[in-house]
Amino acid sequence: MTDDIGEWLTGVFKSKDDFLCEVVCIGLWKIWQARNELVHNHKEVKPHLIAQDIWYACSEVSGQRKKGTMQMGDSQQMSFCSSHWTVQSDAGCFADGTVSLGCIIKDPCGMVNVATCKSFPSVTDILSAELQGILWALQLAKDFKLTNVVFQSDAMVLVDCINGQDYLAALDPLICDCKTLLCSFNSATIMYVNRSLNTDAHQMVRIGKIAGSRTWSGLIPCMEDVVSPLAVSAVC
């Protein structure tokens, strides 16, 4: 045991324990983010929320190595989606206490059918917001009476939970709701996609932060067409 942080970190990295190194690196990063929130935005982040954020981030990183995670290659995904509607969801939590959800519905040919967003005041963590986004997307697909659907999300740990490959006690009631809705379709599955493949839904999250709850048919709107340039610069 040592009181020297540099010596302790050196010992961690020399241990060659990949999981320990992940936890330490992600933990330091999240603590640094919380410090910046306090110094620059005068917003105190409670220690238990920092710990929760660290756990979620570690779960997502570890999930990348899970063999059971449902993630298809481009060619597999194209073949599977050619007979299914695609519904993509994303969510964002903002410093002013706003949660914004985004959803894109594409027909089996890959054409955008609906682009929608909604925002509401809520003090929550990003994983809970992402789960609300998935639940909303499932309900939208049901309301539109879609029968064959593939749902896509970049929140790997939530996809794993819904597919029964992971478990989060705190979110289990909403996860069970997602499972129930998923079973209400003739053919439906939920899969993880990289964030780079979920940019359309993310765009709707950004629009929802400024424009509120809105829906477009047949297109994904540009931020500049929805809000003023000054408002655009204020959205992360």
Side-chain angles (χ1 to χ4, degrees):
M1 193 69 180
T2 176
D3 293 330
D4 185 283
I5 185 66
E7 184 178 337
W8 178 76
L9 283 173
T10 299
V12 168
F13 296 127
K14 283 184 176 180
S15 71
K16 297 183 179 180
D17 184 330
D18 291 342
F19 180 71
L20 176 61
C21 291
E22 277 179 10
V23 172
V24 170
C25 289
I26 291 173
L28 292 174
W29 172 45
K30 293 298 182 180
I31 292 170
W32 176 252
Q33 285 183 327
R35 175 262 180 198
N36 288 341
E37 282 292 304
L38 180 62
V39 171
H40 301 298
N41 299 322
H42 308 291
K43 179 183 176 182
E44 181 180 359
V45 183
K46 299 296 183 182
H48 74 279
L49 292 179
I50 300 174
Q52 186 183 61
D53 203 17
I54 292 170
W55 188 88
Y56 287 156
C58 288
S59 296
E60 186 165 354
V61 170
S62 297
Q64 296 281 356
R65 295 189 297 272
K66 286 185 179 179
K67 293 181 179 179
T69 298
M70 184 169 187
Q71 181 179 10
M72 300 181 185
D74 290 342
S75 59
Q76 291 174 298
Q77 183 175 323
M78 186 177 298
S79 174
F80 182 75
C81 293
S82 63
S83 60
H84 284 62
W85 289 71
T86 301
V87 179
Q88 300 172 315
S89 66
D90 201 6
C93 297
F94 296 88
D96 64 355
T98 298
V99 168
S100 179
L101 308 180
C103 182
I104 302 290
I105 299 177
K106 299 178 181 179
D107 67 23
C109 295
M111 302 298 292
V112 174
N113 186 267
V114 173
T116 185
C117 57
K118 73 174 182 177
S119 63
F120 49 89
S122 179
V123 179
T124 188
D125 59 86
I126 186 58
L127 206 58
S128 296
E130 290 275 12
L131 186 54
Q132 291 181 65
I134 292 172
L135 188 59
W136 180 50
L138 286 161
Q139 187 61 58
L140 282 174
K142 186 174 181 179
D143 291 344
F144 278 107
K145 302 186 186 304
L146 305 184
T147 55
N148 301 321
V149 194
V150 54
F151 296 91
Q152 297 180 341
S153 169
D154 57 31
M156 178 178 285
V157 65
L158 295 178
V159 172
D160 281 350
C161 287
I162 295 170
N163 285 326
Q165 296 159 2
D166 207 339
Y167 179 75
L168 292 175
L171 299 178
D172 191 54
L174 282 180
I175 289 170
C176 287
D177 288 343
C178 289
K179 291 179 179 179
T180 300
L181 275 172
L182 199 61
C183 291
S184 68
F185 298 92
N186 287 351
S187 173
T189 189
I190 183 167
M191 58 182 288
Y192 165 78
V193 293
N194 189 277
R195 288 173 184 171
S196 63
L197 299 177
N198 204 34
T199 55
D200 291 339
H202 181 68
Q203 168 80 346
M204 298 310 300
V205 170
R206 296 175 67 242
I207 289 174
K209 170 62 175 67
I210 297 299
S213 301
R214 296 185 63 179
T215 299
W216 288 262
S217 178
L219 60 86
I220 300 171
C222 296
M223 179 71 78
E224 292 76 8
D225 295 335
V226 179
V227 295
S228 67
L230 182 61
V232 172
S233 64
V235 182
C236 298

